[in-house]
Every structure is written in structure tokens, then in C-alpha cells.
Amino acid sequence: MPDPQPGTPLQASPVFATGFHAGHPSYGYGRADNPTYRALESAIGALDGGECVVFASGMAAISAVLGLAAGKIVLPSDGYYLTRTLAADLPVTVAEVPTAGPWPSFDGVDLVLLETPSNPGLDVCDITALVSAAHAAGALVAVDNTTATPIGQRPLELGADIVVSSDSKALAGHSDVLLGHVTCRSADVAGRIRHARTVRGGIPGPFETWLAHRGLGTLDLRLARQARNAAALYAALSGHPLVSDLRWPGAEQDSSYVVASKQMRRFNGVFTFTLRSQDAVERVLAASELVTAATSFGGLHSTADRRAQWGDPVPPGFVRFSAGCEDTDDLVADVLRALSTSDL
Ligand SMILES: *Cc1c(COP(=O)(O)O)cnc(C)c1O
């Protein structure tokens, strides 16, 4: 909330100006800076615990982070697929490592990018342990925190140098905005990231920035309901004869749970499972009244995405499910009914 000034609006409106009246220390030309960016950057920066720079998308934010490295980068082999595509186009050496490890020596590495929980596999890595190994070798550590969100995990507190995120997912949370951010522990690295945004021009629109800020206000409430729905669906689907390889880092039975519960402050609504075939997934989604087939995750409404269609190295019946904010009993009943009436 901005400082209270009598007569000014309770909530600030988006500022669309290209240019500002001259003489202000920050606001001159809209590509470099804007009060709407600064408002969201100060809110996310407070949650992440560092200096935040907002970007037009998660990929614009990741581009700026990978641009910090000139030599060798270590990336997750099972993380967001476009990060690997982008790195392959850059003039750097890339090593790909699965999030669950084993991790190689970081000798000669400039930048280690972790993604935990990874999208879509939901494997988890120990941020503190990997940060000490990477720092001992002189590498910077960035964590893609998209799945966890700034209130689910604080990588800077765990020793990482940089947090990067797609805020198109749970942070904005309404499936109507593309946005990303980078938060840095050091003002020097944040300055380089801000410079990259200004010169490359990957700036967010003020309206999108404002919408994401509005969404952020309910992130806590949305995550709570989404995690409750994921836990209820996990319980309902555990041992179901049509469902295999159920994974949710928030479940005590999950192989990620021990590390996840140590470093995450809370869980969220994203879980995965596998049905027998592509056809089985399509029938169940057609039979469901509450779950929509759509990519992306973290929105108000439950969605399910068959990741093999995007080229992720997963079985054809692998589903990434994003539990929304529906009533828990309604959602569980709907998913169980869709499974039982799909004639699988
Ligand atoms: C979606 C996503 C991205 C890319 O973000 P966009 O906002 O779509 O550009 C990056 N990392 C992860 C983990 C994602 O899920």
C-alpha cells in the first residue's frame, strides 16, 4: 500500500506515460523506469528479500539472467524446456543435470540455474547444499522459483544470488497476464539486470504489471486453497487403479518431501500423475466439469496439461495438474467421477 496521502486514490492506477516531465531522479523515459514497475518491484522484492526487476515474461527474465554468464552454464535437464532451447542458442557452454542429481563439480562454471520444484517433474534439489558447492567454485547461483512462488520459498535466504520467476503462473494467478521477474541479493547484479532490461527493451506493459500486483494481494489465500485441493486430490488418487506415478512434493510419501519441507515455507497446487495413454487423459478431461485442458498453471481454475504434447521427455499419459481455488469437495468429486465414467 502506498504512503497515505489524503485525497489520493487508495490504490494507485497504472501509469502509461512514455515520457515524464523532466527533473525527476528516476522517471524520465518509460523504457527505463515507471512508477507501476517500481510498485510491484518493491512488493516482490520485499517477499523475495532482495532487489527486484520486473520483465515482460518469465522468458525475458531468464534471458537477462543467462546473459550474466559468458563461459559455462549448468541447467536442469528436466526443468522448463524453453530455458534449454534459449541456452542452446547462446554463445556459452551448457551442461544439463537432472534436478534430482547427481550433481557434477562446478569447477569452471559461471552460472548454475536450479529449478526446484522442477517443472514438470516436481523433483526437488537442496538449494543450500548446491549453493555452497557452487560458491566454492566461484559460480553464481540462480533459482527458477516459478512453481514455489515468493511466499512458498525464499532462495535468497537459502544462499542463492538470484531468483528468477515466471509470474504468468501463480503469482499473477488469474491466467490473464504474462510477466516475469528477477530478484538479486546484490545491488550490483540487480543493476546489470536492470541495464539489460533497458537496453534490450524487454519491458512489461504497465497494465500487465498492475494486474500482476493486484493478483499478488491474494497469492497467500489462493495458494492455501490450491494446496488444500492438491492434498485432497492426492489422497483421493493414491492407490486409484487408473492412476500411477502420483507426485506432489507436499505429500509425506513423496521422494521430494524431506528436502522440500526443509527449504519450502509452504506447498502449492501443482501435482502430477500418469494415466494409461493419451486417449485416457483426453477422455477424463472431456468428462470433467471443473478441470480444463490447458497449459500453464497456478491460476484460479483447475487445469491439466498433457506434457508429452510439448515435447517434455515424459510418457504420453503424463499429466501436470494445477489445482485451482474451487470448493475442495466439489473438485475431488468431479475428478473421481470423470475417472469412473470415462470407460477406461
Ligand atoms: C512458464 C515458465 C517459464 C516461462 O515463463 P513465461 O512467463 O511463459 O515466459 C519459466 N520457467 C518456468 C519454471 C515456467 O513454468
Side-chain angles (χ1 to χ4, degrees), residues 57-60 62 80 83 115 119 144 146-147 166-169 178-180 297 320:
S57 66
M59 284 314 299
I62 290 172
Y80 188 63
T83 302
E115 188 179 313
N119 168 23
D144 185 329
T146 301
T147 313
S166 166
D167 302 332
S168 320
K169 314 296 169 47
L178 282 154
L179 207 83
F297 58 90
R320 184 186 63 208

Side-chain angles (χ1 to χ4, degrees), residues 39 53 113 131 172 197 276 279 303 310:
V53 184
L113 176 70
V131 163
R197 182 181 71 182
R276 207 177 52 219
D279 180 56
T303 56
W310 304 107

